Amino acid sequence: MKRWVYALLGVAVLGVAGVLIQRALGEALVYFILPSEYAADPATYEDRRIRLGGIVSPGTVQYDDQKLVLAFDVTDSLQTFPVEHIGTPPELFKENTGVVVEGSFEDGTFKSDNLLVKHTEVYEAPKDGEPIDVEALKESLE
Amino acid sequence: MTTTVQSAGRPAWLNALAFAAVAASLFGAYLGLRVSPVDVNQGDLIRVMYAHVAVAWVSFAAVAVSAVAGIVYLWRDRPIADVVSVAAAEGALLFGALTIVGGMTYSKPTLGTFWTWDAKLTLTALMVALLVGVFVVRGLIADPVRRGRVSAVIMLIVLASLPLNYLAAEWFRTLHPAKAIDLTGGGVTIEPVMLNILLFNVVAAGLVFAWLLFERIRLGMQEQQDGDGQAPSAPAEAVHV
């Protein structure tokens, strides 16, 4: 009898703990916000260091290798914001790749000092006729 | 501590298992390093994935083995169940640590950072911390019965965190990429040849774990025969959980 009480109590405690963990993770550990979420409520994120995540808009990437300033637009297809990142582009950075930038908005431009790549879960070999640029990859890894 | 207990003859299958584990690991490394094509985005870096994912899956499996043995111990009080649970927990800690080390190695050139506190990485760090906790707590409890029960309960908590960890990249926004092999209905987004090489490496890592597990179980059984090594049984007034 006593055993069952303990067992039930144990399950109840674990259940409550699980719900709390799930909620804490779900709310507090939103790793980055999307451009459209920022646009919907910019006041919340004002003067705060945030992580902004989205896709690098094709045709917007500009890299100044003298000043080490990388400029591009990040989009979630609903909203687009210009990003200015101080630093070199990471190896896997390219158009249409997912990125997370860390920093804050200044006059409508996101000033980033940390650029992370969120690549897809698609893994494939290059197809015939579109050979991978191995030399460029090796260069970028040096 | 002197002991007169003769170690039982080493079974031939254990040697065979050890040989199979080493051979499979070497062949798995060959497949990953030489046979696998480069990835269209990551290039040669895809080769790190085979080791990282295989080790991570096996660390999850090791936690499951340890927790199930822990449940058996709580249920039946058989000392052998605690021996198995500890053996698997040690494997889980080893493979969990390798998951983090390999993940950091893989993450720096691909994602752009060694570490970040996203949901997946945080839960993995939590798993390894709890596994370390198991051994810290075990060292503090002298009574073998109580020690086994407490460590079984901690292993259950670690097990409970695994579904969250496994689905973290789907449920939460993380930097860690989502699963390429989605058992929840999303299909497979990894090329067949890469999938086969990955699965072979998972089997190889599993064999290594199984080998270490059985070696450790043998050791644990010998320890029990020797009167449980350093820990005397609890005095009569000890409080039992």
Side-chain angles (χ1 to χ4, degrees), chain A residues 21 25-26 29-34 37 51 91-92 94 100 116-119 121-126 132 137, chain B residues 37-43 46 109-111 113 116 118 164 173-180 189-191 194:
Chain A
I21 289 172
L25 283 173
L29 281 183
V30 173
Y31 186 68
F32 55 85
I33 60 166
L34 299 169
E37 285 168 343
R51 292 197 191 97
E91 286 86 13
L92 268 66
K94 60 177 184 184
V100 175
L116 306 170
V117 171
K118 179 171 169 51
H119 68 74
E121 63 275 22
V122 178
Y123 305 93
E124 57 184 2
I132 190 166
L137 261 172
Chain B
V38 294
D39 179 68
V40 69
N41 292 314
Q42 298 179 25
I46 189 75
T110 51
L111 309 185
T113 181
T116 188
D118 80 350
L164 282 176
R173 276 184 210 158
T174 60
L175 189 67
H176 189 287
K179 298 191 300 294
T189 55
I190 176 169
E191 190 144 323
M194 291 175 173

Side-chain angles (χ1 to χ4, degrees), chain A residues 17-117:
Chain A
V19 170
L20 288 178
I21 289 172
Q22 153 96 54
R23 291 186 62 165
L25 283 173
E27 283 168 24
L29 281 183
V30 173
Y31 186 68
F32 55 85
I33 60 166
L34 299 169
S36 59
E37 285 168 343
Y38 174 80
D41 194 9
T44 317
Y45 306 108
E46 208 170 350
D47 297 329
R48 259 180 59 194
R49 201 175 151 76
I50 56 172
R51 292 197 191 97
L52 189 69
I55 302 288
V56 179
S57 287
T60 62
V61 179
Q62 282 177 338
Y63 180 49
D64 183 340
D65 60 1
Q66 295 303 308
K67 293 181 191 153
L68 295 184
V69 175
L70 179 69
F72 57 92
D73 285 1
V74 67
T75 182
D76 63 356
S77 75
L78 299 171
Q79 285 287 337
T80 304
F81 288 107
V83 174
E84 240 180 67
H85 171 69
I86 310 295
T88 52
E91 286 86 13
L92 268 66
F93 177 87
K94 60 177 184 184
E95 293 173 351
N96 286 321
T97 281
V99 289
V100 175
V101 280
E102 259 182 298
S104 54
F105 275 100
E106 277 171 36
D107 306 325
T109 301
F110 193 86
K111 304 275 189 185
S112 149
D113 53 36
N114 195 11
L115 171 56
L116 306 170
V117 171

Side-chain angles (χ1 to χ4, degrees), chain B residues 9-21:
Chain B
R10 193 181 160 79
W13 63 264
L14 192 54
N15 289 334
L17 179 61
F19 179 78

Side-chain angles (χ1 to χ4, degrees), chain B residues 53-70:
Chain B
V53 174
V55 163
W57 283 4
V58 169
S59 76
F60 283 16
V63 167
V65 170
S66 176
V68 168

Side-chain angles (χ1 to χ4, degrees), chain B:
Chain B
M1 180 159 294
T2 55
T3 169
T4 52
V5 177
Q6 284 280 305
S7 63
R10 193 181 160 79
W13 63 264
L14 192 54
N15 289 334
L17 179 61
F19 179 78
V22 173
S25 298
L26 290 175
F27 190 60
Y30 168 77
L31 289 178
L33 293 174
R34 304 292 307 186
V35 177
S36 168
V38 294
D39 179 68
V40 69
N41 292 314
Q42 298 179 25
D44 278 323
L45 289 167
I46 189 75
R47 306 185 194 287
V48 188
M49 182 272 291
Y50 299 116
H52 173 59
V53 174
V55 163
W57 283 4
V58 169
S59 76
F60 283 16
V63 167
V65 170
S66 176
V68 168
I71 292 170
V72 172
Y73 185 74
L74 290 176
W75 186 23
R76 294 278 167 184
D77 271 344
R78 299 268 158 75
I80 180 68
D82 186 46
V83 169
V84 174
S85 183
V86 178
E90 281 183 10
L93 180 56
L94 173 68
F95 279 85
L98 286 176
T99 302
I100 288 185
V101 172
M104 288 168 83
T105 314
Y106 188 25
S107 162
K108 180 65 182 172
T110 51
L111 309 185
T113 181
F114 281 115
W115 185 264
T116 188
W117 292 102
D118 80 350
K120 182 108 179 162
L121 276 59
T122 305
L123 282 166
T124 309
L126 178 72
M127 179 182 91
V128 171
L130 284 172
L131 288 170
V132 171
V134 168
F135 294 101
V136 172
V137 168
R138 287 185 72 90
L140 292 172
I141 304 177
D143 175 11
V145 175
R146 184 151 179 266
R147 193 198 314 147
R149 288 184 182 165
V150 171
S151 100
V153 169
I154 303 177
M155 283 315 301
L156 278 175
I157 296 170
V158 184
L159 181 68
S161 79
L162 285 198
L164 282 176
N165 191 334
Y166 183 67
L167 292 167
E170 271 72 26
W171 286 359
F172 317 111
R173 276 184 210 158
T174 60
L175 189 67
H176 189 287
K179 298 191 300 294
I181 302 155
D182 192 351
L183 300 176
T184 52
V188 175
T189 55
I190 176 169
E191 190 144 323
V193 58
M194 291 175 173
L195 177 65
N196 290 337
I197 293 173
L198 172 60
L199 292 179
F200 186 89
N201 274 286
V202 171
V203 171
L207 284 173
V208 171
F209 168 65
W211 168 37
L212 296 177
L213 177 71
F214 286 116
E215 292 278 6
R216 184 63 184 83
I217 289 174
R218 273 190 87 224
L219 203 61
M221 284 163 72
Q222 250 165 29
E223 271 175 9
Q224 287 216 324
Q225 274 177 12
D226 296 353
D228 207 15
Q230 79 284 22
S233 55
E237 70 271 19
V239 182
H240 286 264
V241 174

